[in-house]
Amino acid sequence: MPPEVLERSRPEFVAPLVLYLCSDRCSPNGDIFNAAMGYYSRVAVVTAPVRMLARPGEVPTPEAIMANITAISDLADGKTYPGADAFIGDLLVPPSALDQPARPADSKVQTSVEAVFLAMPGTFVAEAAAGVDVVFQYRIDGAGEWFCTIKDATCTVSAGQHPQPTCTFNIAAGDFLKLVSGELPAMQAFSFGKLKIEGDLMKSQLVERLFRRA
């Protein structure tokens, strides 16, 4: 390497990002980053929308691939995944469902989500909250924002955004309802990118201990 490139390749240029990612102030979770020579960037697994090139059960021809290679390669509407395994989750969903545009929030779904938060204090396990001081922020796509404050073995739930949440859960309204009902396991939701967590990942795991299913 030229001397000036070698000088900029020192590990000191990588260490600041590593230290930040190890700190309790780190907000990204599950991301991958490039770090070299003072340059930093996020790395992500991105895939274009899937295309069906033959009827279900039929194998497409090489000519069909050739005719559609431009569309197959187009990342303009690509989706970012936390890992390659999460893409498998979308492949298990019928393409017609993947291609449907987002619909306006259903008032029934909003009501159901609101009912979950209104009932949350009643499912709180106070004896499991000794010494716990956390704020769980929920951003429910299609049903607004809520936060749950746990302190001194008490639980309060409010609508809106807390200024300093311990961790934040980002999830669609339908997936949230499946999550709280037990239909969608939390680890599966997280692995497939349906549930995204910001902030203190370790304390986010307290939720299952602090609340029982209604």
Side-chain angles (χ1 to χ4, degrees), residues 26-115:
C26 174
S27 55
N29 176 56
D31 290 340
I32 305 169
F33 294 92
N34 283 318
M37 302 186 195
Y39 299 111
Y40 307 93
S41 63
R42 181 185 169 206
V43 181
V45 177
V46 180
T47 181
V50 296
R51 266 79 176 183
M52 287 286 286
L53 304 183
R55 288 182 298 216
E58 291 186 358
V59 178
T61 64
E63 289 78 10
I65 299 294
M66 181 174 67
N68 290 276
I69 193 62
T70 299
I72 293 171
S73 305
D74 186 5
L75 290 172
D77 295 319
K79 181 177 179 180
T80 301
Y81 290 87
D85 57 335
F87 177 56
I88 303 300
D90 273 357
L91 289 182
L92 299 177
V93 181
S96 58
L98 289 175
D99 293 339
Q100 290 177 356
R103 294 180 299 176
D106 189 306
S107 59
K108 292 183 179 179
V109 172
Q110 285 185 301
T111 302
S112 298
V113 170
E114 181 180 8

Side-chain angles (χ1 to χ4, degrees), residues 5-193:
V5 175
L6 185 60
E7 169 64 19
R8 293 173 59 197
S9 300
R10 292 180 292 121
E12 286 86 345
F13 286 101
V14 178
L17 176 61
V18 175
L19 289 171
Y20 168 70
L21 294 176
C22 292
S23 76
D24 59 3
R25 296 186 180 183
C26 174
S27 55
N29 176 56
D31 290 340
I32 305 169
F33 294 92
N34 283 318
M37 302 186 195
Y39 299 111
Y40 307 93
S41 63
R42 181 185 169 206
V43 181
V45 177
V46 180
T47 181
V50 296
R51 266 79 176 183
M52 287 286 286
L53 304 183
R55 288 182 298 216
E58 291 186 358
V59 178
T61 64
E63 289 78 10
I65 299 294
M66 181 174 67
N68 290 276
I69 193 62
T70 299
I72 293 171
S73 305
D74 186 5
L75 290 172
D77 295 319
K79 181 177 179 180
T80 301
Y81 290 87
D85 57 335
F87 177 56
I88 303 300
D90 273 357
L91 289 182
L92 299 177
V93 181
S96 58
L98 289 175
D99 293 339
Q100 290 177 356
R103 294 180 299 176
D106 189 306
S107 59
K108 292 183 179 179
V109 172
Q110 285 185 301
T111 302
S112 298
V113 170
E114 181 180 8
V116 170
F117 285 108
L118 292 176
M120 186 176 284
T123 66
F124 177 62
V125 183
E127 56 270 24
V132 176
D133 184 358
V134 296
V135 176
F136 298 125
Q137 177 75 55
Y138 294 84
R139 293 178 185 153
I140 313 298
D141 186 12
E145 297 191 36
W146 302 77
F147 62 90
C148 174
T149 304
I150 298 173
K151 188 174 183 178
D152 299 327
T154 62
C155 169
T156 58
V157 177
S158 306
Q161 184 174 351
H162 192 277
Q164 292 183 311
T166 306
C167 52
T168 301
F169 303 95
N170 300 278
I171 189 169
D175 291 328
F176 174 74
L177 294 176
K178 291 179 181 179
L179 185 68
V180 297
S181 70
E183 182 181 348
L184 176 63
M187 184 55 68
Q188 179 181 331
F190 181 75
S191 299
F192 284 177

Side-chain angles (χ1 to χ4, degrees), residues 185-204:
M187 184 55 68
Q188 179 181 331
F190 181 75
S191 299
F192 284 177
K194 294 178 180 294
L195 169 64
K196 297 181 180 179
I197 303 174
E198 302 171 9
D200 193 327
L201 182 61
M202 296 301 294
K203 288 187 178 178
S204 72

